[in-house]
Amino acid sequence: MKSIKENTFLIIAAIFAFVVINIALFYVYPGNFTNIAYITFLVIPLFVAIVLVFTRFSVLFTSRISEQEDEKKLLRERQKEIVENMVEGLIVHNKLGKILSVNSTAERFLGISASEILYKTKAEIKNKPSLFNALFESFGSVSEKEHSFKDKYGKELTFKIINVELSKARGEKLKIIRDISREKHLNKMKSEYLTIMSHKFLTPLNGIKWTAPSLLDEAVKDVDKERFVKNIIKSTDTLIELTSRLLRVTEMEEGSFTYKSESIDLEKIIENAVKDRRDDVAKRNITMTFNKTITLIPKVVADADRIKVVVDNFIDNAIKYTKNKGKIDVTLEVEGKNIKYSVKDNGIGIAAKAQADIFSKFFRDDRAIAMHTEGSGLGLFITKNIIEEHGGKVGFISTENKGSTFFFTLPIKK
Ligand code: ADP
C-alpha cells in the first residue's frame, strides 16, 4: 500500500501531465476548441492541481511544525529529567534571593521540599538549614566555596557550592551544590593512614636496627641473642604482612590480582584457622567455637589461598575487637544456593556512624583504634574484593558495645 502522501503527488503529476497534453493539443489544433473545452481541459485541471499542491505543501508544512514542536517538548522534558537526575543539587534564585527553581538532589541535600521554598525569598523561609544559608553568603572574588556541618548522626558532611551567573539581565544566579563528604573523608583517612603506616613500618625497622648489632657483641649472652633473633623474626613477619597487604590492594586496584579456580574444602580452612588461634584466645580467656549446622559440607569452587585470607580476617578481627573473657562463634551453614561463613563476637561492636565505611580502604573506627592501635584498615577492603570476585557477598550486623557478626556467602558448586 502506497502512502497518501505519495498518492497525492502521483495525482498532481497526472493532472499536470493531462494539462501539458491538452496545451499541446490546443497548440496543434488551434480554433478547434470551444471556450468550454478550454475551461474543462485546461483551467479547471490546472486550478485543481494548484489547489492540491498548496494543500499538500501546507499539510507538509504543518506536520513539520508539529514534529518540531514535539521535538522541542521532548527536549524540554529530557532537560528536566537530566536536571532532576543530576548528582549535583541545583538552585536558581534572583537578586532578592527568591528561589525560582530547585531540583530533587538540592531538596535532598537541604532536607527541604521544593514546595517549602519555591517562589519565596530567603527571609520568608523558616527553619533554614546551615547549607541553605551558605548558598547566600558572600562568595567574594571566588566562584566556589566549601561548607561543612554535622548531620543528625554526628557525621561530618562537606558540600562544595559553585556560584554561576545565569542571567545578568534578569539578575538570576545558579548555585550548584556538590556532595564532597566522601572525597574529604577519604583524603583525611589517606593522610592519617600514611602517618600510621609510616609508624607501623618504623617500629619493627627500629627494633631490627637496635637489636641486630647486639648479635655481633660477644659480651651478650646466648640466651639473650636467641631472644633478639626471635624479635627480629617477629618484626620481619610484621613487615612482610604489611607489605603484602599493601601489594594486594595495589594489585586489586590495577586488576592484576589473579585467582585460581579449584574445588576447595572450606570446612578444613576454617578448622585450621580456628586451631591456629587456639593459644591467642586461651591467653585472653575468650571462648571460640566452630559450629557446623550440616554434616556434609557442599563443595565450593574458589581460590583456597585467597579464601583463607578472608576466613582469617574475620577471626582475627573478632579476637582483636573482643574484650577478655569474650565469646566468638564461627559458623558454617547452607543458605539457599550458597554456603555461608559467619563469625559472631560479643566485642566492642561498630558505631552506627562508622558502619557505612567499614569496607572502605584504610578505614578504622576510632573505637577500634583506641582498643588496638595496630591494624591496617585494609583487611575488610581486601576481603570484600576477594568475595565479590568469587560471585559471593559480604556483610555484617553490629551494635555498638554489644558485638558484631561478619559473614560471607559463596555459591555452591553444582
Ligand atoms: P584492621 O582490623 O586492620 O583495622 P580491617 O579492614 O580488618 O582492618 O577492619 C576495618 C575496621 O573495621 C576495624 O578497624 C574496625 O574498626 C572494624 N571492625 C572489623 N571487624 C570488627 C569487629 N569484629 N568488631 C568491631 N569492629 C570491627
Side-chain angles (χ1 to χ4, degrees):
M1 257 307 261
K2 287 205 163 162
S3 75
I4 298 177
K5 260 193 232 168
E6 283 172 85
N7 280 339
T8 326
F9 282 120
L10 273 178
I11 295 167
I12 294 168
I15 296 173
F16 273 118
F18 178 71
V19 170
V20 169
I21 292 167
N22 286 339
I23 291 172
L25 285 174
F26 293 152
Y27 185 75
V28 178
Y29 307 107
N32 284 1
F33 296 91
T34 60
N35 281 348
I36 302 271
Y38 275 115
I39 290 167
T40 316
F41 295 110
L42 232 142
V43 181
I44 293 177
L46 209 56
F47 180 73
V48 172
I50 290 167
V51 169
L52 275 176
V53 169
F54 270 107
T55 329
R56 189 66 219 122
F57 279 103
S58 73
V59 168
L60 260 182
F61 190 62
T62 42
S63 75
R64 186 89 195 100
I65 286 178
S66 86
E67 264 174 34
Q68 279 175 352
E69 301 249 295
D70 285 349
E71 271 168 25
K72 272 189 198 155
K73 203 172 147 215
L74 206 68
L75 187 71
R76 275 198 298 273
E77 272 171 31
R78 200 174 293 128
Q79 280 169 342
K80 200 168 165 243
E81 280 159 12
I82 292 172
V83 167
E84 281 305 307
N85 288 301
M86 274 180 81
V87 287
E88 278 118 351
L90 303 177
I91 285 197
V92 179
H93 66 85
N94 65 11
K95 264 191 264 186
L96 306 167
K98 189 179 197 175
I99 309 295
L100 304 172
S101 174
V102 51
N103 74 345
S104 50
T105 313
E107 286 180 271
R108 187 160 48 80
F109 287 167
L110 293 166
I112 305 185
S113 72
S115 60
E116 290 173 75
I117 54 173
L118 259 183
Y119 309 116
K120 287 186 188 163
T121 60
K122 191 183 159 229
E124 288 166 337
I125 301 165
K126 305 267 168 312
N127 303 326
K128 292 177 282 283
S130 74
L131 179 59
F132 186 89
N133 288 326
L135 299 178
F136 294 93
E137 279 162 14
S138 162
F139 277 75
S141 58
V142 294
S143 62
E144 51 183 63
K145 61 180 178 189
E146 287 178 13
H147 177 73
S148 300
F149 61 96
K150 285 207 164 90
D151 71 1
K152 57 182 175 188
Y153 304 108
K155 191 171 171 179
E156 175 102 355
L157 298 177
T158 307
F159 290 90
K160 181 179 268 178
I161 305 168
I162 304 162
N163 187 30
V164 181
E165 188 101 49
L166 204 59
S167 157
K168 219 172 190 145
R170 295 194 303 272
E172 288 174 6
K173 284 191 173 158
L174 165 70
K175 295 285 158 62
I176 304 170
I177 316 167
R178 193 173 291 156
D179 186 357
I180 54 165
S181 314
R182 197 164 172 77
E183 222 173 290
K184 281 259 156 195
H185 185 55
L186 288 179
N187 275 342
K188 190 169 158 241
M189 277 186 350
K190 209 169 181 173
S191 43
E192 278 174 8
Y193 174 78
L194 280 176
T195 318
I196 295 168
M197 276 315 237
S198 312
H199 282 118
K200 277 186 205 312
F201 274 98
L202 279 177
T203 314
L205 281 173
N206 275 326
I208 296 170
K209 184 179 180 232
W210 295 113
T211 42
S214 317
L215 300 177
L216 300 172
D217 190 343
E218 283 172 9
V220 177
K221 285 191 220 134
D222 278 355
V223 272
D224 289 332
K225 281 188 180 172
E226 199 182 319
R227 195 164 42 85
F228 292 155
V229 169
K230 278 187 183 154
N231 281 343
I232 290 174
I233 293 172
K234 201 170 157 224
S235 298
T236 39
D237 280 348
T238 310
L239 286 170
I240 289 169
E241 177 59 24
L242 270 176
T243 318
S244 71
R245 277 196 174 196
L246 280 175
L247 205 62
R248 254 178 236 155
V249 170
T250 317
E251 282 175 352
M252 275 170 177
E253 286 180 332
E254 284 174 353
S256 55
F257 193 67
T258 52
Y259 294 90
K260 278 182 282 182
S261 201
E262 56 201 357
S263 188
I264 65 159
D265 189 344
L266 195 50
E267 184 187 357
K268 190 111 223 114
I269 293 175
I270 299 168
E271 252 167 21
N272 288 339
V274 172
K275 229 184 272 169
D276 288 348
R277 270 96 183 157
R278 221 182 302 171
D279 292 346
D280 295 336
V281 290
K283 259 188 245 158
R284 296 186 45 214
N285 281 324
I286 294 174
T287 328
M288 181 155 75
T289 27
F290 176 31
N291 319 292
K292 282 174 285 174
T293 59
I294 31 164
T295 38
L296 203 67
I297 309 286
K299 285 275 175 252
V300 172
V301 172
D303 184 321
D305 293 333
R306 308 291 193 217
I307 295 299
K308 187 178 174 318
V309 169
V310 180
V311 166
D312 287 347
N313 178 233
F314 284 179
I315 294 181
D316 288 342
N317 281 347
I319 300 173
K320 258 171 35 185
Y321 304 117
T322 298
K323 293 187 181 129
N324 290 352
K325 299 188 188 149
K327 191 172 178 320
I328 298 170
D329 280 308
V330 181
T331 308
L332 188 61
E333 58 197 321
V334 170
E335 197 181 73
K337 290 181 180 160
N338 300 303
I339 193 153
K340 184 178 178 185
Y341 162 75
S342 50
V343 179
K344 179 174 186 247
D345 65 61
N346 61 352
I348 59 168
I350 301 160
K353 66 170 182 173
Q355 295 199 359
D357 294 313
I358 233 57
F359 290 104
S360 305
K361 190 169 53 170
F362 306 140
F363 182 82
R364 299 198 73 213
D365 184 14
D366 293 344
R367 292 165 59 254
I369 297 173
M371 181 170 183
H372 245 281
T373 44
E374 282 190 19
S376 61
L378 293 174
L380 287 179
F381 173 81
I382 294 171
T383 285
K384 188 169 189 294
N385 270 277
I386 292 179
I387 295 300
E388 287 177 356
E389 279 296 325
H390 282 87
K393 284 200 171 69
V394 272
F396 69 95
I397 36 171
S398 184
T399 314
E400 194 171 341
N401 296 324
K402 290 239 163 69
S404 318
T405 305
F406 276 83
F407 63 86
F408 72 70
T409 61
L410 284 176
I412 295 167
K413 189 193 163 206
K414 279 275 171 301

